[in-house]
Each structure stands twice: as structure tokens, then as C-alpha cells.
Amino acid sequence: MRDLYGGSFMSIETIDVMYTAVATAENGRDGRVASDDGKLDVVVNPPREMGGSGAGTNPEQLFAAGYSACFQGALGVVARKEGADISGSTVTAKVGIGKTPAGGFGLKVAISASIPNVDAATAKSLVEKAHQVCPYSNATRGNIEVTLDVA
């Protein structure tokens, strides 16, 4: 089966929702974004590289922050199951935005994890397993390019 744009429909996984985040944007990429509980309230502006002022944060930075935090959490879940020590580890997400061949815009992500207390093979295995657990990875899989690296 095909969608309106010629792509294939993917099956939608049903989840038992435990929490719902709510945020509202005003004036799109050149305005403000705030959560309904007031814990997040930021000015957003396009980066200078895209012709904006760069005065505030931007959606790509917010996505990178969320993805890196979520991936770090997934890494912790996997490490606990495997008995691996990931203390002192960090996860960095680089989110790129650019034009697609079709004329729209798209994203790509590079995830890099530093896990100092395990050997390289174990670190690579943990990162690959975390990529299968992380909700952000599951949401982006098959939709955008995501690369994994162990620093």
C-alpha cells in the first residue's frame, strides 16, 4: 500500500502511553517554544548558517538534546542488562538539516558515544543494542539517516 506521496505505509506500533510531553510553538522557527508545564520556554531562531540571527536555540539543537539524552538512557538500560559499567559515559547527537533532492528539507543524525570503562568491542555492541531500544532511534529508523560511532 502507498501513501499520498508514493511512499510505503509502515506498520504503526501501539504503545501504552506513560507520559505525554506538550509544547507549543509561536512564529515557527523564528519565535518561541514553551512546554505546557512551564519547564521549557525558549526563543528559537534559525541559525546563521541558514540565514537567521542565531540569537536563540533552534529545533535541531532541541532534537539533538532530546535524542542524546534518550540514547544515553537506552544505553543505561542495555548496560544494566549486560552488567557493563558505563559510568562516565557521554552521548553526543549531531543533527544536520539540509535540502532534499525533492526540494524539501530533511534531517540526518550522527550519534557518538564515549564509554571509557569498557573495551571497544563491548562499547560498539552496547551502542548498537541501545539503538534498538531508544525511542528516538525507533522513531527515526527508516525515515532519516542515523549513523553510530564509538569515540
Side-chain angles (χ1 to χ4, degrees):
M1 183 178 281
R2 297 275 195 213
D3 66 17
L4 295 174
Y5 304 101
S8 298
F9 283 113
M10 295 178 64
S11 63
I12 304 296
E13 186 174 339
T14 302
I15 63 167
D16 181 17
V17 175
M18 297 166 54
Y19 168 76
T20 300
V22 179
T24 302
E26 298 172 3
N27 296 321
R29 294 182 65 88
D30 204 1
R32 176 178 162 259
V33 178
S35 61
D36 65 335
D37 62 4
K39 293 180 181 178
L40 176 73
D41 191 342
V42 295
V43 171
V44 290
N45 301 112
R48 286 188 178 93
E49 296 85 348
M50 294 181 69
S53 70
T57 189
N58 59 66
E60 292 71 41
Q61 288 175 328
L62 296 170
F63 187 64
Y67 203 158
S68 62
C70 188
F71 200 96
Q72 178 77 40
L75 186 61
V77 168
V78 170
R80 281 188 293 281
K81 285 183 182 176
E82 306 240 341
D85 178 8
I86 64 159
S87 60
S89 66
T90 60
V91 173
T92 301
K94 294 180 180 178
V95 175
I97 184 171
K99 291 187 178 182
T100 66
F105 287 88
L107 301 174
K108 71 185 212 176
V109 176
I111 300 285
S112 178
S114 172
I115 312 171
N117 296 324
V118 298
D119 62 71
T122 301
K124 185 175 190 254
S125 175
L126 291 170
V127 167
E128 289 171 353
K129 289 175 182 175
H131 188 49
Q132 299 306 310
V133 172
C134 176
Y136 276 62
S137 292
N138 290 333
T140 59
R141 187 170 292 108
N143 297 307
I144 66 172
E145 179 185 346
V146 176
T147 58
L148 305 174
D149 183 49
V150 177

